[in-house]
Amino acid sequence: MDGYFYAILIVGLVSTIMCVVAGLMKKAPNDPTIFSVLAVELVLVVYLVGSIVRVAMGEQMAGEAWEFWGYLIVALMIPLGAVYWAILERTRWSNFVLAAVGITALVMAARMNQIWY
C-alpha cells in the first residue's frame, strides 16, 4: 500500500462518518457533508496526477494499465455524481448517498493498489 491509499483511507472514512451521522440526525446535505465528499474528490485528483507522474517517470504496473485507469476514472466520477444528487435532492437520504462515496473510493483505491503492485 502506498501513501495515496492511506490518504483515501483517512479522508474517505472521515467523509463517510460525517455523512452517516448527518443522515442519522435527519439533516439535509449541508456544506460540511458536501465538502467532505469534495475532499475525497481532491484526494483522487492528487492520486491521478501522482499516477501520471509515476508512469511518465517509467514506473511499471504489475497489472493491466487499462484496468487501473478505468478504476481511477470511475472513482473520479462517483463523488461528482453524488454531490450532484445531493444538490438536486435536499433530503436526509442524500447524506447516505454521499456516505457511500468514501467507502466506494476506498474499495476502488485498494483494487487500484492491487493492480499497481
Side-chain angles (χ1 to χ4, degrees), residues 6-111:
Y6 290 113
I8 293 172
L9 172 71
I10 293 166
V11 175
L13 288 179
V14 168
S15 174
T16 296
I17 291 167
M18 286 177 62
C19 294
V20 166
V21 168
L24 293 174
M25 293 175 63
K26 299 182 180 182
K27 292 186 177 183
N30 52 20
D31 286 346
T33 57
I34 290 175
F35 285 139
S36 73
V37 171
L38 292 177
V40 173
E41 178 74 7
L42 179 63
V43 173
L44 288 167
V45 168
V46 170
Y47 196 168
L48 170 68
V49 171
S51 298
I52 291 171
V53 168
R54 288 165 73 180
V55 169
M57 299 294 277
E59 197 170 327
Q60 296 292 322
M61 292 179 211
E64 296 290 333
W66 65 268
E67 190 177 7
F68 176 84
W69 296 111
Y71 270 100
L72 189 52
I73 290 167
V74 171
L76 284 163
M77 291 189 304
I78 291 171
L80 300 176
V83 167
Y84 182 71
W85 178 309
I87 289 171
L88 288 180
E89 184 183 320
R90 307 282 300 174
T91 67
R92 70 179 269 214
W93 299 106
S94 293
N95 279 320
F96 295 111
V97 172
L98 293 174
V101 170
I103 295 296
T104 304
L106 176 59
V107 170
M108 294 182 86
R111 180 66 183 127

